[in-house]
Amino acid sequence: MRYEWYRWRWAALDWLFPPTCGGCEMPGERWCRDCQVKIAPVAPPFCERCGQTTSGGGLCDRCISSPPKMTAIRSWAVFDGPIREAMHRVKYRRDVALAEALSRPLVGYVRDLNWHLDIIVPVPLSAKRMKERGYNQAALLAKPLALGLGLKYCDKALSRGRDTRSQVGLSLDQRRQNVHGAFSASKSMVSGKAVLVVDDVATSGSTLDSCAEALWHTGAENVYGMTLARAVLSSK
Ligand SMILES: [Zn+2]
Ligand SMILES: [Zn+2]
């Protein structure tokens, strides 16, 4: 499917069901200019590996002491203000059209990173969670991103074998343990490929790291991570 067609389809739905802004509820657009202006980009200096903001750039302390599995992780915006509202709406209030609006800036952002990529893969939900929610919010961002970049979208490349509890409220070590070994990858889809894994929000990066582990294990050539937003770490 072409990117223009994908976007047009959502725009047609806006015409039928006039949207309100995902950040401030103003009627008219899915994502308004005011909210866009309020977005705080994850600006340098940040760790060149995990993408978490640091005071001096280079590698952060965490990446020096225990290097992450991803070659690099980047996030577009700080998880705060209207973007926090919007992600909540995508995830818990079934505003699936909003995800398409939020994915748009990611296309240029990822292109400017100049990463060599072959395929785009969303962080999968467990079968149980997928059944409850009916859609995967990471896939709603990853699909238009793949179309916009002209890359292959592989939503079956990763699967989540077991249901993991929410990472909210867990310490860094607990987060790592919670998702360790939770994912497996399809060898035929990822072997020899440079993979970009997409998620909505990253905090510690443990989920992406666990995905990376599965992808390296199945012979991926390279593994990068991209999230729409980045939560500031509350504990070290
Ligand atoms: Zn707004
Ligand atoms: Zn780091």
Side-chain angles (χ1 to χ4, degrees):
M1 195 196 319
R2 294 205 18 214
Y3 187 42
E4 291 76 18
W5 169 239
Y6 186 87
R7 289 178 59 166
W8 185 86
R9 226 174 43 168
W10 288 112
L13 278 174
D14 289 348
W15 187 75
L16 286 167
F17 308 102
T20 58
C21 171
C24 68
E25 312 244 320
M26 245 233 317
E29 294 173 275
R30 278 174 270 150
W31 182 245
C32 80
R33 193 179 285 266
D34 285 357
C35 287
Q36 178 63 29
V37 172
K38 282 186 203 145
I39 289 294
V42 178
F46 48 71
C47 170
E48 56 194 48
R49 194 84 192 259
C50 73
Q52 189 66 249
T53 41
T54 55
S55 45
L59 289 176
C60 72
D61 293 348
R62 221 156 52 88
C63 287
I64 292 168
S65 61
S66 68
K69 307 280 189 306
M70 288 259 163
T71 299
I73 301 173
R74 293 290 180 272
S75 307
W76 175 63
V78 176
F79 187 55
D80 203 7
I83 202 82
R84 183 190 277 265
E85 281 304 311
M87 287 322 300
H88 189 87
R89 224 165 116 154
V90 169
K91 215 163 158 176
Y92 303 109
R93 287 171 56 193
R94 314 190 72 81
D95 193 343
V96 292
L98 176 58
E100 190 275 318
L102 295 173
S103 72
R104 287 181 202 170
L106 298 186
V107 177
Y109 183 90
V110 174
R111 195 177 282 137
D112 289 348
L113 291 170
N114 278 320
W115 287 341
H116 165 75
L117 301 168
D118 297 311
I119 62 171
I120 296 204
V121 178
V123 170
L125 297 179
S126 68
K128 181 170 171 268
R129 189 68 56 82
M130 188 70 187
K131 206 172 163 193
E132 283 163 7
R133 195 175 290 159
Y135 58 94
N136 174 3
Q137 72 282 356
L140 292 173
L141 295 168
K143 185 168 184 182
L145 178 60
L147 288 167
L149 293 169
L151 293 171
K152 195 167 176 205
Y153 172 65
C154 295
D155 63 341
K156 302 279 189 295
L158 277 172
S159 53
R160 199 170 191 136
R162 60 184 168 83
D163 199 27
T164 50
R165 58 161 289 190
S166 159
Q167 300 274 75
V168 177
L170 298 184
S171 74
L172 276 178
D173 274 347
Q174 287 169 328
R175 281 169 185 268
R176 219 170 280 140
Q177 274 168 20
N178 187 36
V179 290
H180 181 73
F183 300 94
S184 55
S186 153
K187 194 167 186 143
S188 62
M189 286 186 206
V190 309
S191 181
K193 298 282 196 313
V195 185
L196 177 66
V197 182
V198 176
D199 206 358
D200 51 351
V201 186
T203 304
S204 64
S206 310
T207 304
L208 287 171
D209 248 25
S210 187
C211 291
E213 213 161 39
L215 289 162
W216 288 122
H217 189 71
T218 8
E221 185 207 84
N222 213 340
V223 185
Y224 295 96
M226 172 77 217
T227 68
L228 180 78
R230 187 84 195 209
V232 176
L233 273 174
S234 51
S235 59
K236 292 237 161 179

